């Protein structure tokens, strides 16, 4: 991932707040291939644009910020373009860097920058956050992709305005996420103005009586998801691929599809926490002698570790020629405590108990330090796939079944629409800030535009089948998993990451805390 940050000081003699250095430090952790900055003063307003780069596109390393030949435009681009509506779009040329191509386009039409940004970014699919400084017109353009897969925060404080991928330590300022509903333009010193773009939301189809048969839909889902995975593992400057792996349905399907498109080894990274509260509770009720490799004798044999081992065994059997490696990441309680401050800074402005337990799991998983067959191992994967998004799109949460019980498929569709609308603010900004701090980039095949559009076009009864039994959630995906031979993962009930890894309710103090309670003051 890349890190981007812009500081604007309204009087050119204002000194940056001490914590600005901490923001820059956080930014640099996100991309360690290159890191640079550019600065200037316009009409008495001073600005600094910083970027760090994890370069995954183009023959050569493309440092950032990228400056136009005439020196008037400066772009910090934290994005990846995977596909485009236009087959001959130069942005699909993987030999070239996407940020550099966008800059070329902006240079060619420097008098129509908002139009170029809207037309370019509306035609492509991929995560992004960017900041563009236009010194000729003394303004800044910035924005995020419609699903908010890349973080961008803003704050106004101490006589300054800042945009940054992550907040900094020891800075009690009020960082907020940049709204993904539009792109934004600011003439320095004035309020931001919206630049509407063509696609800013996806709308789910209403339930209908004429529901296609699930079996008939499996080939379509297979095709669209497989293509999304292919685009996310191809041509990556030979970067290694890893997968955040719970062993659950969503990520195991991705592992199988990745094996069909990527010939190299794939690290399946599974995280598990030593949870003193759960361990004490388990010993208190243990009756027979506990086998050494089961919980609590093995404190890391938590629910997700068990499913990860089982799903890994099935993948290895189905793809005997493919080198899957199960990387078992064990997090001792003491280490969890020692990294709490780090995780809290990264996840800010989110600060709830539930956010913290999810963020901690993602932080250690993406660090990728664990064991393979009992031998210490650190992944060198620069790209990590994640199964996030399947629950929101295919009705995977227990809450979805409750909505269906309450008001049938109409109520369920409303619940899913709400989930899709809030995925940027609820999940993806936070996850990006945490996951990117180890110089890796996370990619979400379920959130490809074509996958979202396809699933949004189906009536919800084609995706879930709650009349069936408890495995009616994500029913269409379960059918695909079965067809792929993943019979084990196809039968697994949904398990939330904070419970599967046991990163929730770690100690007596947290035992009764509600997930929505505030865990710390951001
Ligand atoms: N224990 C874990 N270790 C590493 N990554 C995980 C772990 N748990 C979840 N993840 C990552 O987060 C993603 C979202 O988690 P989620 O629980 O929604 O999906 P899942 O575990 O694949 O399937 P299911 O939702 O059916 O349990 C997973 O697909 C996986 O990429
Ligand atoms: N990780 C990023 O956001 C990198 C930006 C750009 N797509 C590159 O690969 O260089």
């Amino acid at each position: 991932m890349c890190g981007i940050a812009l500081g604007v000081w309204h009087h050119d003699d204002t000194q940056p707040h001490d914590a600005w250095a901490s923001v820059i430090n956080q930014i640099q952790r996100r991309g360690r291939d290159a890191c640079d900055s550019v600065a200037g003063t316009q009409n008495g307003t001073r600005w600094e644009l910083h970027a760090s780069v994890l370069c995954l596109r183009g023959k050569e390393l493309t440092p950032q910020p990228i400056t136009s030949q005439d020196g008037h435009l400066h772009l910090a681009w934290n994005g990846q373009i995977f596909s485009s509506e236009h087959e001959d779009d130069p942005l699909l040329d993987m030999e070239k860097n996407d940020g550099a191509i966008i800059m070329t386009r902006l240079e060619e039409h420097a008098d129509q920058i908002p139009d170029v940004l809207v037309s370019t970014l509306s035609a492509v699919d991929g995560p992004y956050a960017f900041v563009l400084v236009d010194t000729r017109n003394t303004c800044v353009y910035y924005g995020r992709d419609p699903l908010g897969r890349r973080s961008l925060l803003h704050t106004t404080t101490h006589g300054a305005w800042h945009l940054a991928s992550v907040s900094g330590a020891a800075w009690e300022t009020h960082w907020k996420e940049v709204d993904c509903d539009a792109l934004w333009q600011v003439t320095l010193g004035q309020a931001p103005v919206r630049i509407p773009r063509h696609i800013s939301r996806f709308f789910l189809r209403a339930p209908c009586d004429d529901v296609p048969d699930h079996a008939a839909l499996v080939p379509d889902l297979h095709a669209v998801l497989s293509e999304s995975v292919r685009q996310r593992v191809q041509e990556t400057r030979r970067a290694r691929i890893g997968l955040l792996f719970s062993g659950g349905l969503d990520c195991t399907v991705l592992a199988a599809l990745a094996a069909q498109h990527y010939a190299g080894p794939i690290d399946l990274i599974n995280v598990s926490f030593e949870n003193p509260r759960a361990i004490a509770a388990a010993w208190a009720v243990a009756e027979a002698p506990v086998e050494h490799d089961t919980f609590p004798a093995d404190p890391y044999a938590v629910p997700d570790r068990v499913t990860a081992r089982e799903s890994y065994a099935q993948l290895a059997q189905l793809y005997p020629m493919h080198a899957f490696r199960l990387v078992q990441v064990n997090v001792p309680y003491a280490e969890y405590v020692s990294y709490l401050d780090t995780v809290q800074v990264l996840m800010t402005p989110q600060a709830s108990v539930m956010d913290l337990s999810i963020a901690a799991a993602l932080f250690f998983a993406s660090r990728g330090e664990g064991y393979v067959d009992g031998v210490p191992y650190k992944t060198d994967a620069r790209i990590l796939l994640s199964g996030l998004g399947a629950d929101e799109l295919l009705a995977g949460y227990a809450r979805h079944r409750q909505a269906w019980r309450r008001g049938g498929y109409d109520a369920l569709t409303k619940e899913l629409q709400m989930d899709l609308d809030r995925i940027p603010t609820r999940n993806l900004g936070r996850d990006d800030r945490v996951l990117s701090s180890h110089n890796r980039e996370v990619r979400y095949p379920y959130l490809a535009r074509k996958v979202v559009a396809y699933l949004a076009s189906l009536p919800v009864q084609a995706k879930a089948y709650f009349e069936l039994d408890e495995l009616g959630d994500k029913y269409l995906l379960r059918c695909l998993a079965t067809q792929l031979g993943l019979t084990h993962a196809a039968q697994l009930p949904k398990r939330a990451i904070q419970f599967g890894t046991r990163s929730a309710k770690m100690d007596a103090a947290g035992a009764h805390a509600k997930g929505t309670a505030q865990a710390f003051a951001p």
Side-chain angles (χ1 to χ4, degrees):
M1 202 77 60
C2 300
I4 59 183
L6 174 77
V8 174
W9 293 269
H10 298 306
H11 303 286
D12 58 9
D13 54 352
T14 315
Q15 286 307 307
H17 187 283
D18 289 348
W20 178 239
S22 155
V23 173
I24 304 306
N25 188 282
Q26 298 289 346
I27 296 302
Q28 289 172 356
R29 300 166 64 88
R30 291 171 58 101
R32 299 183 200 156
D33 290 341
C35 144
D36 209 345
S37 65
V38 54
T41 303
Q42 254 68 44
N43 303 341
T45 298
R46 196 161 53 78
W47 58 270
E48 271 178 36
L49 180 64
H50 292 254
S52 67
V53 179
L54 171 64
C55 188
L56 298 165
R57 274 285 299 267
K59 274 192 176 154
E60 274 111 41
L61 169 75
T62 303
Q64 296 199 41
I66 303 170
T67 295
S68 61
Q69 296 206 349
D70 66 7
H72 283 115
L73 297 174
H74 307 279
L75 175 66
W77 170 249
N78 173 201
Q80 290 300 348
I81 303 300
F82 297 121
S83 69
S84 169
E85 279 170 11
H86 313 300
E87 268 177 32
D88 55 350
D89 192 331
L91 275 164
L92 296 182
D93 181 352
M94 293 291 156
E95 306 254 293
K96 301 215 173 101
N97 186 269
D98 44 356
I101 299 172
I102 292 172
M103 176 52 91
T104 308
R105 226 174 256 189
L106 291 166
E107 278 177 306
E108 285 167 5
H109 307 277
D111 50 342
Q112 301 159 22
I113 286 185
D115 293 344
V116 177
L117 287 173
V118 168
S119 62
T120 301
L121 296 176
S122 297
V124 295
D125 176 32
Y128 60 82
F130 72 92
V131 179
L132 174 71
V133 179
D134 175 356
T135 57
R136 186 174 277 143
N137 297 305
T138 327
C139 67
V140 173
Y141 303 88
Y142 59 98
R144 305 166 67 196
D145 72 83
L147 290 170
R149 286 163 287 184
R150 295 286 178 265
S151 165
L152 193 60
L153 304 176
H154 64 107
T155 184
T156 301
T157 182
H158 299 93
W161 175 61
H162 298 298
L163 287 168
S165 309
V166 274
S167 75
W171 195 349
E172 287 171 19
T173 49
H174 303 284
W175 291 94
K176 291 206 175 79
E177 292 193 327
V178 167
D179 188 340
C180 304
D181 278 353
L183 301 179
W184 299 91
Q185 176 175 6
V186 165
T187 300
L188 292 183
Q190 297 180 16
V193 177
R194 299 169 75 88
I195 311 175
R197 66 173 151 206
H198 305 155
I199 295 181
S200 57
R201 282 181 73 195
F202 294 90
F203 294 96
L204 300 183
R205 178 165 164 194
C208 66
D209 294 335
D210 183 19
V211 184
D213 183 43
H214 294 106
L217 294 170
V218 170
D220 295 341
L221 176 61
H222 187 182
V224 78
L225 191 57
S226 176
E227 176 59 9
S228 167
V229 171
R230 187 190 69 74
Q231 288 166 351
R232 281 156 181 76
V233 299
Q234 66 167 357
E235 307 280 348
T236 54
R237 287 173 56 87
R238 296 197 200 88
R240 296 278 186 114
I241 305 287
L243 196 145
L244 298 173
F245 189 67
S246 63
L249 171 66
D250 314 347
C251 57
T252 305
V253 167
L254 296 184
L257 296 176
Q260 294 169 10
H261 295 297
Y262 180 77
I266 299 179
D267 285 349
L268 304 175
I269 303 169
N270 176 257
V271 67
S272 157
F273 285 76
E274 179 194 29
N275 182 317
R277 195 195 49 81
I279 293 167
W283 279 125
V285 296
E287 285 168 3
V290 180
E291 286 187 36
H292 75 282
D293 57 351
T294 62
F295 193 80
D298 174 357
Y300 299 108
V302 303
D304 273 5
R305 178 60 50 84
V306 175
T307 49
R309 286 180 183 150
E310 291 165 351
S311 293
Y312 163 71
Q314 185 154 55
L315 285 164
Q317 199 181 27
L318 287 169
Y319 298 92
M321 305 305 284
H322 202 92
F324 282 116
R325 266 191 296 245
L326 182 62
V327 184
Q328 307 191 35
V329 174
N330 299 337
V331 185
Y333 179 68
E335 190 174 22
Y336 161 80
V337 172
S338 71
Y339 276 93
L340 266 179
D341 283 352
T342 307
V343 175
Q344 289 173 358
V345 169
L346 290 169
M347 61 189 277
T348 296
Q350 266 96 328
S352 75
V353 167
M354 185 183 75
D355 286 315
L356 178 59
S357 48
I358 296 173
L362 296 177
F363 176 82
F364 287 103
S366 60
R367 192 172 71 167
E369 277 178 37
Y371 297 86
V372 172
D373 297 328
V375 178
Y377 177 85
K378 177 165 181 165
T379 185
D380 59 359
R382 285 156 68 91
I383 294 170
L384 301 177
L385 301 181
S386 162
L388 189 117
D391 291 314
E392 287 76 3
L393 289 163
L394 287 132
Y397 293 118
R399 195 164 36 75
H400 294 149
R401 181 177 285 277
Q402 287 157 15
W404 171 75
R405 283 211 184 101
R406 201 175 55 237
Y409 284 113
D410 284 319
L412 173 58
T413 303
K414 276 198 194 120
E415 191 82 8
L416 289 171
Q417 184 70 58
M418 177 187 76
D419 282 339
L420 195 53
D421 291 344
R422 71 182 180 181
I423 204 168
T425 46
R426 194 174 159 94
N427 308 80
L428 291 166
R430 173 200 66 204
D431 294 358
D432 175 68
R433 290 189 289 282
V434 173
L435 288 162
S436 307
S437 61
H438 302 294
N439 194 36
R440 306 189 209 281
E441 169 163 311
V442 179
R443 299 182 171 180
Y444 301 100
Y446 289 102
L447 295 177
R449 191 192 283 186
K450 282 201 174 148
V451 177
V452 178
Y454 169 68
L455 291 171
S457 74
L458 297 178
V460 68
Q461 302 101 308
K463 297 177 267 189
Y465 191 1
F466 282 136
E467 291 89 349
L468 188 67
D469 62 16
E470 75 229 25
L471 296 179
D473 59 307
K474 293 185 279 194
Y475 186 71
L476 183 57
L477 189 61
R478 292 184 189 280
C479 294
L480 173 58
T482 306
Q483 199 211 58
L484 291 169
L486 302 167
T487 47
H488 180 72
Q491 300 289 321
L492 290 173
K494 156 119 206 111
R495 199 183 288 124
I497 184 168
Q498 66 273 31
F499 301 119
T501 61
R502 293 257 160 86
S503 66
K505 301 184 187 294
M506 291 283 267
D507 42 36
H512 302 293
K514 282 202 161 157
T516 49
Q518 189 162 331
F520 63 96

